[in-house]
Amino acid sequence: MEGFYLLPHPPIIVPEIGKGEENKIEASSKSFEIIGQEIKKKAPNTIILITPHGPMFNDAINITYENSIKGNFGQFGASQISMEIRINKKLSKEISETAKNSNIPVVLSTKELLSHYNVHISLDHGAMIPLYFINRFYMDYSLVHITYAPLGDLELYQFGIAIKKAVEKTNEKVVLIASGDLSHRLKADGPYGYNPSGEKFDDAFLRLLENGQVTEIFTMNKEIIYNAGECGRKSVLIMLGAMDDIHFKGHLLSYEKTFGVGYGIMKFESTGPCQSKLNTIVDAVKNKNNNQSNPYVRLARESLTTYLEKRKMMEELPSYVTDEMKNLKRGVFVSLKKNGNLRGCIGTIFPATSCIADEIIRNAIEAGLYDPRFEAVELSELNDIEFSVDVLTEPETATKEDLDPKEYGVIVRSKGRTGLLLPDLEGVDTVEEQLSIALRKAGISPFENYSIERFKVIRHKEE
């Protein structure tokens, strides 16, 4: 493969859209031009472009499979700027087949297929912005248009390996572009407000890419990643997979955050061949997951892992379990998330076992295997699953006026029916919303007489 690039996709950088505002990110414009000139010199016959903004499936990577794909900037008030690019169907199909042979889910999207979802095939701005600048200098290429899916990090990396194998098999002259913006939470007036994790993510992510520290990218703090509000990381994970057997360093041409979004432009240079990094990454992720400093989430993960491996519960408490976990009895909820989405949650309002530790062990297994909303978790998923443990304080009688959905959970009771809602849930901002949901869960009419209790939650998360 001839080259690898991380490119952002701010529509405002196009003069016909920015109408002068593009001058505020002039360094990005100049960097785009450098990349365009470099790609002209490389003269690839195909550009593989990975975008966050094409038609996205929840459970499969989407590869466009038509003779050509076209689009314009009409949604940004500049419909006069359009492009149509032929698709390299041979390489697209080879990538799909290679990925499927590695059990990575891929869909080859046609107009007919997407019409069933009321979606049209067209170039998205995640693709068009980089191509807009490349086309100024070079247009003699076909395109492989890929929209990533919210799959696990390791699956995305393996998909990148599949891309590399397919390119080698077809003997194509290719450059690969990972399209994606960095944090969207760099300023209070930015698209998602300010969060300190945004700057931390951008600084760490770009530094690791510059140094070619692939393993460390996969073991970054999950909460910082989530709070950063980025859209480029998964594109990059695929690109890193395509560089699996080379050492590399990144050259950061520019980084700007004028509009509260991180725009990083980086090109990558191979510094020599190496053995596949995949096993090292897998071991590092597994080691990080299995050696969490927080004993609550560590026990939850070990409990479910042990059960999936041996089909029986842990027989002894590990040495890291604290006296508090052994001696106190509390209700406990164990929650599992995969790629930011709930994957299972089971808990007890009141303790059902002898101590918090036993409660965690039991509820971790229940959350992984017996939450009726989800299929049972498989052992192969565990590296991509985040565990959290909520320990409930003892409930106390309360009135509506005593509630605060950010600080307190609520329990409602009436005639043997009970409903519970944890505190600080996304989208639950008022006492009325909190009570309404808890009553609905219990099957209690808001016009019935019911009692209210409140409790706090001590939340334990993985790093």
Side-chain angles (χ1 to χ4, degrees), residues 270-335:
S270 171
T271 57
C274 67
Q275 295 295 317
S276 169
K277 307 180 192 80
L278 179 61
N279 289 337
T280 301
I281 295 168
V282 171
D283 289 344
V285 171
K286 187 179 296 185
N287 184 62
K288 179 177 185 288
N289 287 337
N290 292 339
N291 292 283
Q292 291 287 322
S293 59
N294 186 298
Y296 291 80
V297 290
R298 184 175 179 181
L299 181 61
R301 178 178 287 278
E302 186 171 347
S303 171
L304 182 55
T305 302
T306 298
Y307 192 86
L308 290 175
E309 289 178 340
K310 301 179 180 180
R311 287 297 159 181
K312 62 179 183 179
M313 294 178 67
M314 299 171 62
E315 296 178 351
E316 296 182 2
L317 293 180
S319 59
Y320 58 79
V321 173
T322 65
D323 289 341
E324 178 184 77
M325 295 167 69
K326 296 176 185 176
N327 299 328
L328 288 182
K329 298 174 70 172
R330 291 286 187 270
V332 169
F333 277 75
V334 176
S335 300

Side-chain angles (χ1 to χ4, degrees), residues 87-290:
I87 293 292
N88 187 330
K89 295 182 73 175
K90 178 183 176 182
L91 181 55
S92 296
K93 187 174 183 180
E94 188 63 42
I95 291 171
S96 173
E97 291 177 351
T98 306
K100 288 177 180 178
N101 288 337
S102 298
N103 297 315
I104 300 164
V106 172
V107 171
L108 288 174
S109 284
T110 62
K111 294 176 182 177
E112 182 180 3
L113 173 66
L114 291 184
S115 68
H116 295 297
Y117 303 93
N118 294 318
V119 175
H120 301 288
I121 287 182
S122 63
L123 277 173
D124 58 287
H125 75 276
M128 284 194 292
I129 301 300
L131 296 178
Y132 170 86
F133 285 93
I134 292 168
N135 288 351
R136 287 181 173 182
F137 303 94
Y138 182 71
M139 297 182 67
D140 190 18
Y141 64 87
S142 60
L143 184 68
V144 174
H145 181 265
I146 299 171
T147 305
Y148 67 61
L151 303 179
D153 290 356
L154 295 173
E155 284 182 288
L156 296 174
Y157 187 85
Q158 289 174 291
F159 177 66
I161 294 175
I163 289 176
K164 174 185 171 296
K165 290 179 179 178
V167 170
E168 290 176 345
K169 185 174 180 179
T170 56
N171 199 30
E172 297 275 357
K173 188 177 182 182
V174 165
V175 300
L176 188 150
I177 294 171
S179 175
D181 297 335
L182 301 177
S183 175
H184 291 57
R185 294 173 174 163
L186 300 174
K187 290 188 175 182
D189 58 354
Y192 298 106
Y194 175 76
N195 189 298
S197 291
E199 294 174 338
K200 292 178 182 177
F201 172 83
D202 284 9
D203 290 345
F205 192 64
L206 291 173
R207 174 176 50 80
L208 293 172
L209 287 174
E210 284 185 293
N211 296 330
Q213 294 175 272
V214 177
T215 300
E216 289 78 2
I217 288 172
F218 281 83
T219 55
M220 286 181 68
N221 184 283
K222 294 175 182 177
E223 190 167 1
I224 287 178
I225 293 171
Y226 177 78
N227 290 332
E230 49 72 39
C231 71
R233 178 175 166 272
K234 291 186 183 296
S235 295
V236 169
L237 297 184
I238 295 172
M239 178 180 67
L240 292 176
M243 296 191 286
D244 178 59
D245 60 355
I246 62 171
H247 292 298
F248 67 86
K249 59 182 178 180
H251 299 281
L252 184 64
L253 276 64
S254 62
Y255 172 77
E256 296 184 292
K257 55 181 180 179
T258 307
F259 302 112
V261 179
Y263 303 137
I265 296 182
M266 186 178 290
K267 64 178 184 177
F268 297 86
E269 174 192 358
S270 171
T271 57
C274 67
Q275 295 295 317
S276 169
K277 307 180 192 80
L278 179 61
N279 289 337
T280 301
I281 295 168
V282 171
D283 289 344
V285 171
K286 187 179 296 185
N287 184 62
K288 179 177 185 288
N289 287 337
N290 292 339

